[in-house]
Amino acid sequence: MTVIVTDNAIRLEGRCLVEDAEHLLVAIQDNPDLAVDVASAERLHMAVAQILWALKPRLQGMVGDPFLARYILGRSYES
């Protein structure tokens, strides 16, 4: 599973597939105060990205893929 809930964050790891979207949705709804750590995410299925866009959880970490960071997560390496 690529969605892991810890005491201080919801971590996305590796390739997050369509079946991970529901797990992410439930994790965010059950833990609204936790940030979503994207540092270990390699790829996000569009369904996973839509959960992040719709619920707007606080994100932490920086993904290694500049395209994913900038165009999917809306982050810049320069900020």
Side-chain angles (χ1 to χ4, degrees):
M1 179 174 314
T2 61
V3 178
I4 301 166
V5 180
T6 66
D7 289 338
N8 54 6
I10 300 166
R11 287 196 342 250
L12 299 182
E13 292 189 351
R15 294 176 176 222
C16 299
L17 306 175
V18 65
E19 49 273 357
D20 296 314
E22 184 177 359
H23 297 289
L24 177 60
L25 174 64
V26 170
I28 293 172
Q29 288 176 333
D30 289 349
N31 304 283
D33 294 332
L34 291 182
V36 176
D37 184 351
V38 296
S40 298
E42 294 173 13
R43 291 189 176 202
L44 298 181
H45 187 279
M46 192 54 68
V48 174
Q50 288 174 333
I51 296 296
L52 295 174
W53 290 334
L55 299 182
K56 296 180 180 28
R58 185 170 40 94
L59 299 178
Q60 74 182 38
M62 182 60 78
V63 295
D65 180 355
F67 180 87
L68 180 59
R70 183 171 202 173
Y71 296 107
I72 304 299
L73 299 176
R75 298 177 137 202
S76 171
Y77 285 97
E78 299 158 356
S79 55

PDB file of all heavy atoms in Angstrom, residues 22-54:
ATOM      1  N   GLU A  22      -9.002   6.026  -2.814  1.00  0.00           N
ATOM      2  CA  GLU A  22      -9.983   5.845  -1.746  1.00  0.00           C
ATOM      3  C   GLU A  22      -9.297   5.769  -0.388  1.00  0.00           C
ATOM      4  O   GLU A  22      -9.786   6.353   0.589  1.00  0.00           O
ATOM      5  CB  GLU A  22     -10.810   4.587  -1.982  1.00  0.00           C
ATOM      6  CG  GLU A  22     -11.904   4.411  -0.943  1.00  0.00           C
ATOM      7  CD  GLU A  22     -12.787   3.206  -1.209  1.00  0.00           C
ATOM      8  OE1 GLU A  22     -12.584   2.490  -2.204  1.00  0.00           O
ATOM      9  OE2 GLU A  22     -13.689   2.996  -0.386  1.00  0.00           O
ATOM     10  N   HIS A  23      -8.162   5.094  -0.323  1.00  0.00           N
ATOM     11  CA  HIS A  23      -7.408   5.014   0.941  1.00  0.00           C
ATOM     12  C   HIS A  23      -6.951   6.403   1.386  1.00  0.00           C
ATOM     13  O   HIS A  23      -7.008   6.732   2.569  1.00  0.00           O
ATOM     14  CB  HIS A  23      -6.203   4.092   0.795  1.00  0.00           C
ATOM     15  CG  HIS A  23      -6.562   2.676   0.487  1.00  0.00           C
ATOM     16  ND1 HIS A  23      -7.143   1.835   1.397  1.00  0.00           N
ATOM     17  CD2 HIS A  23      -6.429   1.962  -0.654  1.00  0.00           C
ATOM     18  CE1 HIS A  23      -7.357   0.660   0.848  1.00  0.00           C
ATOM     19  NE2 HIS A  23      -6.919   0.706  -0.411  1.00  0.00           N
ATOM     20  N   LEU A  24      -6.497   7.204   0.430  1.00  0.00           N
ATOM     21  CA  LEU A  24      -6.061   8.565   0.754  1.00  0.00           C
ATOM     22  C   LEU A  24      -7.238   9.406   1.239  1.00  0.00           C
ATOM     23  O   LEU A  24      -7.123  10.135   2.224  1.00  0.00           O
ATOM     24  CB  LEU A  24      -5.399   9.222  -0.456  1.00  0.00           C
ATOM     25  CG  LEU A  24      -4.956  10.664  -0.270  1.00  0.00           C
ATOM     26  CD1 LEU A  24      -3.936  10.791   0.867  1.00  0.00           C
ATOM     27  CD2 LEU A  24      -4.389  11.219  -1.571  1.00  0.00           C
ATOM     28  N   LEU A  25      -8.370   9.298   0.557  1.00  0.00           N
ATOM     29  CA  LEU A  25      -9.568  10.046   0.957  1.00  0.00           C
ATOM     30  C   LEU A  25      -9.957   9.719   2.395  1.00  0.00           C
ATOM     31  O   LEU A  25     -10.166  10.624   3.210  1.00  0.00           O
ATOM     32  CB  LEU A  25     -10.726   9.726   0.004  1.00  0.00           C
ATOM     33  CG  LEU A  25     -12.087  10.314   0.378  1.00  0.00           C
ATOM     34  CD1 LEU A  25     -12.047  11.837   0.342  1.00  0.00           C
ATOM     35  CD2 LEU A  25     -13.163   9.784  -0.548  1.00  0.00           C
ATOM     36  N   VAL A  26     -10.025   8.448   2.731  1.00  0.00           N
ATOM     37  CA  VAL A  26     -10.395   8.030   4.083  1.00  0.00           C
ATOM     38  C   VAL A  26      -9.348   8.496   5.095  1.00  0.00           C
ATOM     39  O   VAL A  26      -9.690   8.990   6.174  1.00  0.00           O
ATOM     40  CB  VAL A  26     -10.590   6.499   4.145  1.00  0.00           C
ATOM     41  CG1 VAL A  26     -10.744   6.013   5.577  1.00  0.00           C
ATOM     42  CG2 VAL A  26     -11.794   6.103   3.303  1.00  0.00           C
ATOM     43  N   ALA A  27      -8.076   8.372   4.750  1.00  0.00           N
ATOM     44  CA  ALA A  27      -7.006   8.787   5.669  1.00  0.00           C
ATOM     45  C   ALA A  27      -7.099  10.278   5.980  1.00  0.00           C
ATOM     46  O   ALA A  27      -6.948  10.687   7.135  1.00  0.00           O
ATOM     47  CB  ALA A  27      -5.640   8.453   5.077  1.00  0.00           C
ATOM     48  N   ILE A  28      -7.349  11.092   4.956  1.00  0.00           N
ATOM     49  CA  ILE A  28      -7.455  12.542   5.177  1.00  0.00           C
ATOM     50  C   ILE A  28      -8.709  12.870   5.979  1.00  0.00           C
ATOM     51  O   ILE A  28      -8.676  13.704   6.889  1.00  0.00           O
ATOM     52  CB  ILE A  28      -7.432  13.302   3.838  1.00  0.00           C
ATOM     53  CG1 ILE A  28      -6.059  13.169   3.181  1.00  0.00           C
ATOM     54  CG2 ILE A  28      -7.779  14.780   4.048  1.00  0.00           C
ATOM     55  CD1 ILE A  28      -5.994  13.714   1.766  1.00  0.00           C
ATOM     56  N   GLN A  29      -9.824  12.210   5.663  1.00  0.00           N
ATOM     57  CA  GLN A  29     -11.063  12.474   6.402  1.00  0.00           C
ATOM     58  C   GLN A  29     -10.951  12.044   7.867  1.00  0.00           C
ATOM     59  O   GLN A  29     -11.465  12.720   8.750  1.00  0.00           O
ATOM     60  CB  GLN A  29     -12.240  11.764   5.736  1.00  0.00           C
ATOM     61  CG  GLN A  29     -12.639  12.396   4.432  1.00  0.00           C
ATOM     62  CD  GLN A  29     -13.741  11.626   3.713  1.00  0.00           C
ATOM     63  OE1 GLN A  29     -13.882  10.417   3.876  1.00  0.00           O
ATOM     64  NE2 GLN A  29     -14.501  12.332   2.905  1.00  0.00           N
ATOM     65  N   ASP A  30     -10.265  10.935   8.112  1.00  0.00           N
ATOM     66  CA  ASP A  30     -10.106  10.444   9.487  1.00  0.00           C
ATOM     67  C   ASP A  30      -9.052  11.212  10.279  1.00  0.00           C
ATOM     68  O   ASP A  30      -9.054  11.167  11.510  1.00  0.00           O
ATOM     69  CB  ASP A  30      -9.730   8.961   9.488  1.00  0.00           C
ATOM     70  CG  ASP A  30     -10.880   8.059   9.067  1.00  0.00           C
ATOM     71  OD1 ASP A  30     -12.027   8.541   8.978  1.00  0.00           O
ATOM     72  OD2 ASP A  30     -10.627   6.861   8.805  1.00  0.00           O
ATOM     73  N   ASN A  31      -8.124  11.880   9.571  1.00  0.00           N
ATOM     74  CA  ASN A  31      -7.009  12.588  10.216  1.00  0.00           C
ATOM     75  C   ASN A  31      -6.840  13.970   9.597  1.00  0.00           C
ATOM     76  O   ASN A  31      -5.802  14.270   9.009  1.00  0.00           O
ATOM     77  CB  ASN A  31      -5.718  11.780  10.036  1.00  0.00           C
ATOM     78  CG  ASN A  31      -5.837  10.374  10.547  1.00  0.00           C
ATOM     79  OD1 ASN A  31      -5.785  10.138  11.747  1.00  0.00           O
ATOM     80  ND2 ASN A  31      -6.013   9.423   9.637  1.00  0.00           N
ATOM     81  N   PRO A  32      -7.831  14.845   9.717  1.00  0.00           N
ATOM     82  CA  PRO A  32      -7.775  16.132   9.017  1.00  0.00           C
ATOM     83  C   PRO A  32      -6.648  17.058   9.459  1.00  0.00           C
ATOM     84  O   PRO A  32      -6.271  17.964   8.715  1.00  0.00           O
ATOM     85  CB  PRO A  32      -9.145  16.763   9.305  1.00  0.00           C
ATOM     86  CG  PRO A  32      -9.607  16.105  10.568  1.00  0.00           C
ATOM     87  CD  PRO A  32      -9.034  14.712  10.525  1.00  0.00           C
ATOM     88  N   ASP A  33      -6.081  16.823  10.624  1.00  0.00           N
ATOM     89  CA  ASP A  33      -5.004  17.689  11.112  1.00  0.00           C
ATOM     90  C   ASP A  33      -3.619  17.245  10.631  1.00  0.00           C
ATOM     91  O   ASP A  33      -2.647  17.983  10.806  1.00  0.00           O
ATOM     92  CB  ASP A  33      -5.008  17.744  12.642  1.00  0.00           C
ATOM     93  CG  ASP A  33      -6.270  18.416  13.175  1.00  0.00           C
ATOM     94  OD1 ASP A  33      -6.838  19.271  12.465  1.00  0.00           O
ATOM     95  OD2 ASP A  33      -6.687  18.067  14.289  1.00  0.00           O
ATOM     96  N   LEU A  34      -3.521  16.068  10.045  1.00  0.00           N
ATOM     97  CA  LEU A  34      -2.220  15.571   9.582  1.00  0.00           C
ATOM     98  C   LEU A  34      -1.884  16.115   8.204  1.00  0.00           C
ATOM     99  O   LEU A  34      -2.751  16.257   7.344  1.00  0.00           O
ATOM    100  CB  LEU A  34      -2.223  14.043   9.514  1.00  0.00           C
ATOM    101  CG  LEU A  34      -2.285  13.285  10.827  1.00  0.00           C
ATOM    102  CD1 LEU A  34      -2.225  11.778  10.568  1.00  0.00           C
ATOM    103  CD2 LEU A  34      -1.172  13.705  11.765  1.00  0.00           C
ATOM    104  N   ALA A  35      -0.617  16.407   7.999  1.00  0.00           N
ATOM    105  CA  ALA A  35      -0.130  16.803   6.674  1.00  0.00           C
ATOM    106  C   ALA A  35       0.036  15.552   5.821  1.00  0.00           C
ATOM    107  O   ALA A  35       0.189  14.449   6.333  1.00  0.00           O
ATOM    108  CB  ALA A  35       1.207  17.524   6.799  1.00  0.00           C
ATOM    109  N   VAL A  36       0.014  15.739   4.513  1.00  0.00           N
ATOM    110  CA  VAL A  36       0.291  14.647   3.583  1.00  0.00           C
ATOM    111  C   VAL A  36       1.733  14.814   3.117  1.00  0.00           C
ATOM    112  O   VAL A  36       2.091  15.825   2.517  1.00  0.00           O
ATOM    113  CB  VAL A  36      -0.687  14.668   2.394  1.00  0.00           C
ATOM    114  CG1 VAL A  36      -0.313  13.582   1.387  1.00  0.00           C
ATOM    115  CG2 VAL A  36      -2.122  14.477   2.874  1.00  0.00           C
ATOM    116  N   ASP A  37       2.557  13.824   3.431  1.00  0.00           N
ATOM    117  CA  ASP A  37       3.977  13.848   3.079  1.00  0.00           C
ATOM    118  C   ASP A  37       4.152  13.220   1.697  1.00  0.00           C
ATOM    119  O   ASP A  37       3.900  12.029   1.509  1.00  0.00           O
ATOM    120  CB  ASP A  37       4.766  13.069   4.117  1.00  0.00           C
ATOM    121  CG  ASP A  37       6.264  13.107   3.890  1.00  0.00           C
ATOM    122  OD1 ASP A  37       6.703  13.593   2.834  1.00  0.00           O
ATOM    123  OD2 ASP A  37       6.986  12.639   4.784  1.00  0.00           O
ATOM    124  N   VAL A  38       4.566  14.027   0.724  1.00  0.00           N
ATOM    125  CA  VAL A  38       4.701  13.574  -0.662  1.00  0.00           C
ATOM    126  C   VAL A  38       6.153  13.311  -1.057  1.00  0.00           C
ATOM    127  O   VAL A  38       6.430  13.019  -2.218  1.00  0.00           O
ATOM    128  CB  VAL A  38       4.061  14.591  -1.635  1.00  0.00           C
ATOM    129  CG1 VAL A  38       2.570  14.698  -1.398  1.00  0.00           C
ATOM    130  CG2 VAL A  38       4.719  15.949  -1.526  1.00  0.00           C
ATOM    131  N   ALA A  39       7.075  13.390  -0.127  1.00  0.00           N
ATOM    132  CA  ALA A  39       8.506  13.280  -0.448  1.00  0.00           C
ATOM    133  C   ALA A  39       8.881  11.948  -1.089  1.00  0.00           C
ATOM    134  O   ALA A  39       9.789  11.895  -1.907  1.00  0.00           O
ATOM    135  CB  ALA A  39       9.344  13.508   0.806  1.00  0.00           C
ATOM    136  N   SER A  40       8.180  10.873  -0.758  1.00  0.00           N
ATOM    137  CA  SER A  40       8.519   9.559  -1.300  1.00  0.00           C
ATOM    138  C   SER A  40       7.627   9.133  -2.460  1.00  0.00           C
ATOM    139  O   SER A  40       7.742   8.018  -2.946  1.00  0.00           O
ATOM    140  CB  SER A  40       8.431   8.499  -0.191  1.00  0.00           C
ATOM    141  OG  SER A  40       9.368   8.779   0.821  1.00  0.00           O
ATOM    142  N   ALA A  41       6.739  10.011  -2.897  1.00  0.00           N
ATOM    143  CA  ALA A  41       5.850   9.678  -4.022  1.00  0.00           C
ATOM    144  C   ALA A  41       6.612   9.772  -5.337  1.00  0.00           C
ATOM    145  O   ALA A  41       7.319  10.745  -5.585  1.00  0.00           O
ATOM    146  CB  ALA A  41       4.654  10.620  -4.042  1.00  0.00           C
ATOM    147  N   GLU A  42       6.493   8.741  -6.153  1.00  0.00           N
ATOM    148  CA  GLU A  42       7.136   8.747  -7.465  1.00  0.00           C
ATOM    149  C   GLU A  42       6.150   9.151  -8.563  1.00  0.00           C
ATOM    150  O   GLU A  42       6.506   9.882  -9.470  1.00  0.00           O
ATOM    151  CB  GLU A  42       7.687   7.354  -7.772  1.00  0.00           C
ATOM    152  CG  GLU A  42       8.806   6.935  -6.860  1.00  0.00           C
ATOM    153  CD  GLU A  42       9.205   5.485  -7.079  1.00  0.00           C
ATOM    154  OE1 GLU A  42       8.781   4.881  -8.089  1.00  0.00           O
ATOM    155  OE2 GLU A  42       9.935   4.967  -6.229  1.00  0.00           O
ATOM    156  N   ARG A  43       4.944   8.630  -8.474  1.00  0.00           N
ATOM    157  CA  ARG A  43       3.898   8.949  -9.439  1.00  0.00           C
ATOM    158  C   ARG A  43       2.572   9.017  -8.715  1.00  0.00           C
ATOM    159  O   ARG A  43       2.346   8.297  -7.738  1.00  0.00           O
ATOM    160  CB  ARG A  43       3.794   7.877 -10.518  1.00  0.00           C
ATOM    161  CG  ARG A  43       4.979   7.851 -11.417  1.00  0.00           C
ATOM    162  CD  ARG A  43       4.730   6.938 -12.555  1.00  0.00           C
ATOM    163  NE  ARG A  43       5.880   7.016 -13.444  1.00  0.00           N
ATOM    164  CZ  ARG A  43       5.837   6.693 -14.702  1.00  0.00           C
ATOM    165  NH1 ARG A  43       4.725   6.260 -15.233  1.00  0.00           N
ATOM    166  NH2 ARG A  43       6.913   6.787 -15.442  1.00  0.00           N
ATOM    167  N   LEU A  44       1.694   9.881  -9.208  1.00  0.00           N
ATOM    168  CA  LEU A  44       0.347   9.976  -8.657  1.00  0.00           C
ATOM    169  C   LEU A  44      -0.659   9.735  -9.772  1.00  0.00           C
ATOM    170  O   LEU A  44      -0.632  10.428 -10.798  1.00  0.00           O
ATOM    171  CB  LEU A  44       0.088  11.368  -8.068  1.00  0.00           C
ATOM    172  CG  LEU A  44       0.949  11.845  -6.907  1.00  0.00           C
ATOM    173  CD1 LEU A  44       0.506  13.224  -6.461  1.00  0.00           C
ATOM    174  CD2 LEU A  44       0.881  10.876  -5.748  1.00  0.00           C
ATOM    175  N   HIS A  45      -1.535   8.784  -9.582  1.00  0.00           N
ATOM    176  CA  HIS A  45      -2.647   8.619 -10.512  1.00  0.00           C
ATOM    177  C   HIS A  45      -3.496   9.880 -10.406  1.00  0.00           C
ATOM    178  O   HIS A  45      -3.557  10.528  -9.360  1.00  0.00           O
ATOM    179  CB  HIS A  45      -3.465   7.375 -10.133  1.00  0.00           C
ATOM    180  CG  HIS A  45      -4.516   7.032 -11.131  1.00  0.00           C
ATOM    181  ND1 HIS A  45      -5.727   7.662 -11.161  1.00  0.00           N
ATOM    182  CD2 HIS A  45      -4.510   6.146 -12.152  1.00  0.00           C
ATOM    183  CE1 HIS A  45      -6.448   7.164 -12.150  1.00  0.00           C
ATOM    184  NE2 HIS A  45      -5.719   6.238 -12.769  1.00  0.00           N
ATOM    185  N   MET A  46      -4.166  10.242 -11.478  1.00  0.00           N
ATOM    186  CA  MET A  46      -4.958  11.471 -11.478  1.00  0.00           C
ATOM    187  C   MET A  46      -6.038  11.443 -10.392  1.00  0.00           C
ATOM    188  O   MET A  46      -6.363  12.477  -9.821  1.00  0.00           O
ATOM    189  CB  MET A  46      -5.596  11.688 -12.853  1.00  0.00           C
ATOM    190  CG  MET A  46      -6.176  13.076 -13.015  1.00  0.00           C
ATOM    191  SD  MET A  46      -5.016  14.431 -12.662  1.00  0.00           S
ATOM    192  CE  MET A  46      -3.866  14.268 -13.991  1.00  0.00           C
ATOM    193  N   ALA A  47      -6.555  10.278 -10.051  1.00  0.00           N
ATOM    194  CA  ALA A  47      -7.555  10.186  -8.982  1.00  0.00           C
ATOM    195  C   ALA A  47      -6.948  10.593  -7.636  1.00  0.00           C
ATOM    196  O   ALA A  47      -7.600  11.264  -6.827  1.00  0.00           O
ATOM    197  CB  ALA A  47      -8.115   8.765  -8.902  1.00  0.00           C
ATOM    198  N   VAL A  48      -5.704  10.222  -7.406  1.00  0.00           N
ATOM    199  CA  VAL A  48      -5.006  10.611  -6.175  1.00  0.00           C
ATOM    200  C   VAL A  48      -4.774  12.120  -6.174  1.00  0.00           C
ATOM    201  O   VAL A  48      -5.004  12.802  -5.169  1.00  0.00           O
ATOM    202  CB  VAL A  48      -3.677   9.837  -6.025  1.00  0.00           C
ATOM    203  CG1 VAL A  48      -2.878  10.342  -4.832  1.00  0.00           C
ATOM    204  CG2 VAL A  48      -3.944   8.347  -5.895  1.00  0.00           C
ATOM    205  N   ALA A  49      -4.338  12.661  -7.311  1.00  0.00           N
ATOM    206  CA  ALA A  49      -4.125  14.109  -7.427  1.00  0.00           C
ATOM    207  C   ALA A  49      -5.433  14.864  -7.196  1.00  0.00           C
ATOM    208  O   ALA A  49      -5.445  15.916  -6.544  1.00  0.00           O
ATOM    209  CB  ALA A  49      -3.550  14.449  -8.796  1.00  0.00           C
ATOM    210  N   GLN A  50      -6.541  14.340  -7.698  1.00  0.00           N
ATOM    211  CA  GLN A  50      -7.830  15.008  -7.514  1.00  0.00           C
ATOM    212  C   GLN A  50      -8.249  15.043  -6.053  1.00  0.00           C
ATOM    213  O   GLN A  50      -8.850  16.024  -5.602  1.00  0.00           O
ATOM    214  CB  GLN A  50      -8.901  14.334  -8.367  1.00  0.00           C
ATOM    215  CG  GLN A  50      -8.728  14.627  -9.838  1.00  0.00           C
ATOM    216  CD  GLN A  50      -9.698  13.861 -10.713  1.00  0.00           C
ATOM    217  OE1 GLN A  50     -10.162  12.783 -10.337  1.00  0.00           O
ATOM    218  NE2 GLN A  50      -9.991  14.412 -11.862  1.00  0.00           N
ATOM    219  N   ILE A  51      -7.924  14.006  -5.299  1.00  0.00           N
ATOM    220  CA  ILE A  51      -8.202  14.022  -3.859  1.00  0.00           C
ATOM    221  C   ILE A  51      -7.414  15.150  -3.200  1.00  0.00           C
ATOM    222  O   ILE A  51      -7.948  15.914  -2.385  1.00  0.00           O
ATOM    223  CB  ILE A  51      -7.848  12.662  -3.207  1.00  0.00           C
ATOM    224  CG1 ILE A  51      -8.713  11.533  -3.749  1.00  0.00           C
ATOM    225  CG2 ILE A  51      -7.930  12.742  -1.684  1.00  0.00           C
ATOM    226  CD1 ILE A  51     -10.183  11.651  -3.457  1.00  0.00           C
ATOM    227  N   LEU A  52      -6.149  15.284  -3.572  1.00  0.00           N
ATOM    228  CA  LEU A  52      -5.322  16.359  -3.003  1.00  0.00           C
ATOM    229  C   LEU A  52      -5.849  17.730  -3.415  1.00  0.00           C
ATOM    230  O   LEU A  52      -5.887  18.661  -2.610  1.00  0.00           O
ATOM    231  CB  LEU A  52      -3.867  16.188  -3.432  1.00  0.00           C
ATOM    232  CG  LEU A  52      -3.170  14.933  -2.913  1.00  0.00           C
ATOM    233  CD1 LEU A  52      -1.781  14.804  -3.523  1.00  0.00           C
ATOM    234  CD2 LEU A  52      -3.105  14.924  -1.401  1.00  0.00           C
ATOM    235  N   TRP A  53      -6.256  17.869  -4.668  1.00  0.00           N
ATOM    236  CA  TRP A  53      -6.789  19.161  -5.140  1.00  0.00           C
ATOM    237  C   TRP A  53      -8.106  19.502  -4.443  1.00  0.00           C
ATOM    238  O   TRP A  53      -8.331  20.635  -4.053  1.00  0.00           O
ATOM    239  CB  TRP A  53      -7.021  19.136  -6.638  1.00  0.00           C
ATOM    240  CG  TRP A  53      -5.785  19.119  -7.469  1.00  0.00           C
ATOM    241  CD1 TRP A  53      -4.541  19.599  -7.130  1.00  0.00           C
ATOM    242  CD2 TRP A  53      -5.641  18.598  -8.775  1.00  0.00           C
ATOM    243  NE1 TRP A  53      -3.653  19.395  -8.145  1.00  0.00           N
ATOM    244  CE2 TRP A  53      -4.299  18.786  -9.174  1.00  0.00           C
ATOM    245  CE3 TRP A  53      -6.522  17.973  -9.660  1.00  0.00           C
ATOM    246  CZ2 TRP A  53      -3.830  18.387 -10.411  1.00  0.00           C
ATOM    247  CZ3 TRP A  53      -6.043  17.578 -10.890  1.00  0.00           C
ATOM    248  CH2 TRP A  53      -4.715  17.782 -11.258  1.00  0.00           C
ATOM    249  N   ALA A  54      -8.984  18.510  -4.281  1.00  0.00           N
ATOM    250  CA  ALA A  54     -10.313  18.762  -3.714  1.00  0.00           C
ATOM    251  C   ALA A  54     -10.269  19.050  -2.213  1.00  0.00           C
ATOM    252  O   ALA A  54     -10.937  19.965  -1.738  1.00  0.00           O
ATOM    253  CB  ALA A  54     -11.228  17.565  -3.981  1.00  0.00           C
TER     254      ALA A  54
END
